[in-house]
Every structure is written in structure tokens, then in C-alpha cells.
Amino acid sequence: MKYFFLFILALILCAAMALSSVLPGVTAYKQGEIEKIADRKEHTVSNDRYSVSGDRWGRVTVKNATTGQVIHSFQMDYGVVVRETFFLDGGNTLVASQKDHSVFWDLTTGKEIRRFPQRIYGFTHDETKFFTLKDPDLILSLYAHPNLTSICELRPEASGGGIMDFSLSPNDKFLVVMFASNYPESDENYPGGDSSYRTTISVNLFNLETCQEIKEFAQAFNPGFDTGTFSQDSNFIEVKTFFSGKAFSQGKELSIRQEWGTWRFNLKNNQIDLIN
């Protein structure tokens, strides 16, 4: 009997050592399976007061930006990836989105303000508009904030599928979107698209004041590989990708056939200049 108890004690000690030997950044769970914490895609945004992150389990954690103390912890749909988090109203409002809806919270009271039945991809800098992608038709839609009313639909002449990347001009007048055929992502593959599908990519530029696509941009740069960089005055967008068509270099018109380079697209007259 004495040796039996010693045997049991040895087994317990071995199990404890095995658990303690799990490498930093790795958590043991589910009957010996391990999950690398580094593989969890978390969105973290911060301001002077708060830091907020969302994880793959639907948890949204708000911390004091200075001390790291947890101030609020919100639970969205359990086991569903938190895809975006935003601070609005000077940091007083928090918005988080999952694949099919978004939730607004008041950070002063910790209370839920409202829900919106779509994933919100982004807000304009002045927080007066946001855009979504309606499933299953993959329609890009623009809404007003804070009343959440529809403004218009942004329909490209041709697109490759769901939103892979996007960029807004500093004056909030222009939105450029990279569409890809394997997006929106499933929770399993987030943040990457589903590689089982053939990927078709297009990059489209929209004027948010007129709700129209600037078709010359897509015609020049598709297939595209870059959403570009807007100038601070929002008069130009520079794109590093392939281009074929008419461009200008030092005032001289060029006829180019499928050349890689950095190009400046003039948002006032749609003229394209070769930078390098």
C-alpha cells in the first residue's frame, strides 16, 4: 500500500511538471490540445484614456491606458471573432464588430447604447459616416452616424468579392477599397481569406460625396495590389502597382503597357503621373 501511494504521488508530480513546462505564450486546454496565444488575432486600439482589445472568443476588454487596469469587460457572441474596435465621441463611446453585427457601448457608464445588424468596417475621420458590406450580395453601403440611417450604396463596376483592405482620404471625401474573392473571412480563417477559393482582386475608388465610383482608377490599376496613400490635402493618391494606359512624366504624355511603378492619381482631373 505504501508503494502504491508513492506511485500515485509520483504521477501527480509528473502531471504538474508537464503543465508547468508549457512554453510562455502557449496555453494547455481541451484534453491536451494546445493553443498558441500568439495565434489569436486581437484588435487593440488606444487613446489617452483607454486601451481596448477584442479576441477570438467574443470578449472585448477595456483597460486604463496608463495603468493597464481592466475597466470594462464586454461579452459579445461567445466563440465569435471580434473583428474591429473603434473609439468615438472623444473616447467616450466604444464600437466593436463581429462578422454579422456591431455593438455600441457608453464607456462612462459601461452600458450598451445600441446594436447595428451588420459588421462595420470603418468610420470616417469626422465620425459622421461608416460603411459596411451587406451579405450575401456583398453590397458596399454607406451610413450616417450617429442616427445609423442609410446614405447610399457604393457599387463598383466590377469587384472581386469582399473587403480585403481599404483606405480613407484625410478629408473623408474618398474611399479606396481592395476587394478579394475569398473575403469576407470565416471565423476559422480570420484574418486571412479562405485559401480554398481562387482569389480575384480589384481595387476601386469611390467619391463619398457623390456616392459614385471613379472608374478611371480601376481601369488604370486593376488588377491592383495596393490601396494607395492619400496626400494630406486629399488631392492625390499614390499607388505602387502595375499600370497600363496613358500617363505623364514631367509634363510629357506617355503610353505605357503593363509597367510596375509608383503612380500619382490626381483626384481633381483623374490624370495619372509616373513618380518612379
Side-chain angles (χ1 to χ4, degrees):
M1 183 66 67
K2 173 182 177 181
Y3 294 107
F4 176 77
F5 284 117
L6 289 174
F7 176 73
I8 296 299
L9 179 61
L11 287 177
I12 295 173
L13 289 174
C14 288
M17 291 175 65
L19 286 174
S20 65
S21 66
V22 175
L23 295 175
V26 177
T27 303
Y29 79 116
K30 290 185 180 178
Q31 299 180 351
E33 295 176 14
I34 61 174
E35 175 191 26
K36 294 180 180 179
I37 293 177
D39 287 346
R40 297 179 184 174
K41 177 66 176 179
E42 295 195 357
H43 291 283
T44 302
V45 296
S46 60
N47 57 21
D48 293 338
R49 298 159 58 193
Y50 304 117
S51 173
V52 59
S53 62
D55 65 21
R56 299 190 68 86
W57 310 112
R59 295 173 298 215
V60 181
T61 304
V62 183
K63 298 180 180 180
N64 182 294
T66 302
T67 66
Q69 178 184 2
V70 175
I71 299 173
H72 298 294
S73 183
F74 304 110
Q75 182 65 56
M76 300 182 73
D77 289 355
Y78 181 77
V80 180
V81 176
V82 177
R83 302 194 175 213
E84 287 85 19
T85 52
F86 309 96
F87 282 121
L88 304 177
D89 308 321
N92 293 316
T93 301
L94 170 66
V95 185
S97 66
Q98 292 181 310
K99 60 184 178 181
D100 57 4
H101 74 285
S102 303
V103 182
F104 293 68
W105 290 279
D106 184 329
L107 289 182
T108 302
T109 64
K111 294 182 178 180
E112 182 178 316
I113 302 172
R114 64 178 71 92
R115 292 185 173 233
F116 188 75
Q118 294 182 56
R119 173 185 177 184
I120 295 176
Y121 282 81
F123 286 82
T124 55
H125 301 93
D126 62 10
E127 301 176 10
T128 63
K129 302 179 184 72
F130 64 87
F131 61 95
T132 70
L133 193 71
K134 291 182 181 178
D135 286 331
D137 299 323
L138 301 181
I139 298 173
L140 190 64
S141 300
L142 189 66
Y143 289 86
H145 177 263
N147 57 16
L148 311 185
T149 56
S150 175
I151 297 176
C152 64
E153 293 180 347
L154 304 169
R155 292 181 176 267
E157 189 171 73
S159 70
I163 297 174
M164 183 177 180
D165 196 10
F166 68 88
S167 180
L168 277 158
S169 63
N171 66 358
D172 291 326
K173 184 177 178 179
F174 301 100
L175 170 68
V176 60
V177 180
M178 180 182 292
F179 296 96
S181 59
N182 55 356
Y183 288 80
E185 322 88 310
S186 65
D187 276 0
E188 179 182 357
N189 293 304
Y190 185 82
D194 189 341
S195 59
S196 66
Y197 295 111
R198 181 179 179 182
T199 301
T200 302
I201 295 177
S202 67
V203 181
N204 303 81
L205 176 66
F206 302 93
N207 184 322
L208 297 186
E209 290 188 340
T210 64
C211 290
Q212 298 296 315
E213 180 188 7
I214 300 175
K215 296 179 181 180
E216 291 84 353
F217 187 87
Q219 291 167 358
F221 298 119
N222 278 333
F225 303 95
D226 182 18
T227 56
T229 302
F230 286 99
S231 61
Q232 287 302 308
D233 59 10
S234 300
N235 289 332
F236 303 94
I237 179 171
E238 290 189 3
V239 185
K240 190 174 184 65
T241 188
F242 285 102
F243 168 74
S244 59
K246 290 184 178 180
F248 295 83
S249 179
Q250 298 178 347
K252 295 182 179 180
E253 185 173 325
L254 307 173
S255 183
I256 298 171
R257 298 183 64 183
Q258 201 68 10
E259 182 174 327
W260 177 270
T262 301
W263 314 90
R264 177 180 291 159
F265 187 89
N266 189 317
L267 293 164
K268 291 185 174 180
N269 59 20
N270 301 336
Q271 178 177 302
I272 299 170
D273 292 282
L274 175 64
I275 303 301
N276 57 56

